[in-house]
Amino acid sequence: QVQLVESGGGLVQPGGSLRLSCAASARTFSTTSMAWFRQPPGKERELIAAITWNSNRANYADSVKGRFTISRDNEKYMLYLQMTSLKPEDTAVYYCNFYYTSYQVDDYDSWGQGTQVTVSS
């Protein structure tokens, strides 16, 4: 009964910025690490950012480090991804989900619909 709803995607030119949001309905949201994933066209879904339940720690894939910032608001059950200096290579469908260190991407049984981010001039 977990519901994950991503939003905020769209078309943006290279160098632009975009802020993605993820609304989570799970009761365990506030005590569970969360993450953002993305799936470029024709490629596998990949983990790009994760954050602990209390925002004490955040980690990023090298491909987005220094450009993307993950954050959360536990009171509002929301997860965010602030993206800056966007590149065409960032074009993908972006998903949020719970994060478990023992999980690989294909271990997840459920995903939201994702939100499309297209970076093009």
Side-chain angles (χ1 to χ4, degrees), residues 17-21 34-36 48-51 55 57-61 63-72 79-86 94:
S17 300
L18 212 55
R19 186 192 190 222
L20 306 184
S21 297
M34 296 293 295
W36 282 99
I48 58 171
I51 187 170
S55 299
R57 176 71 173 172
N59 292 94
Y60 304 89
S63 58
V64 307
K65 191 174 299 180
R67 299 187 299 119
F68 292 10
T69 301
I70 186 172
S71 62
R72 66 192 297 165
L79 178 72
Y80 306 100
L81 184 68
Q82 180 65 52
M83 307 185 294
T84 61
S85 301
L86 285 163
Y94 285 70

Side-chain angles (χ1 to χ4, degrees), residues 12 21 38 42 46 52 58 72 104-105 121:
V12 62
S21 297
R38 70 182 182 186
E46 62 178 340
T52 56
R72 66 192 297 165
Q104 293 187 61
V105 174
S121 59

Side-chain angles (χ1 to χ4, degrees), residues 8 16 52 73 89 120:
T52 56
D73 185 332
E89 305 91 272
S120 176

Side-chain angles (χ1 to χ4, degrees), residues 91-102:
T91 294
V93 177
Y94 285 70
Y95 303 87
C96 63
N97 217 323
F98 295 92
Y99 177 74
Y100 307 100
T101 56
S102 62

Side-chain angles (χ1 to χ4, degrees), residues 16-37:
S17 300
L18 212 55
R19 186 192 190 222
L20 306 184
S21 297
C22 167
S25 64
R27 52 173 282 276
T28 56
F29 174 83
S30 61
T31 57
T32 306
S33 294
M34 296 293 295
W36 282 99
F37 304 78

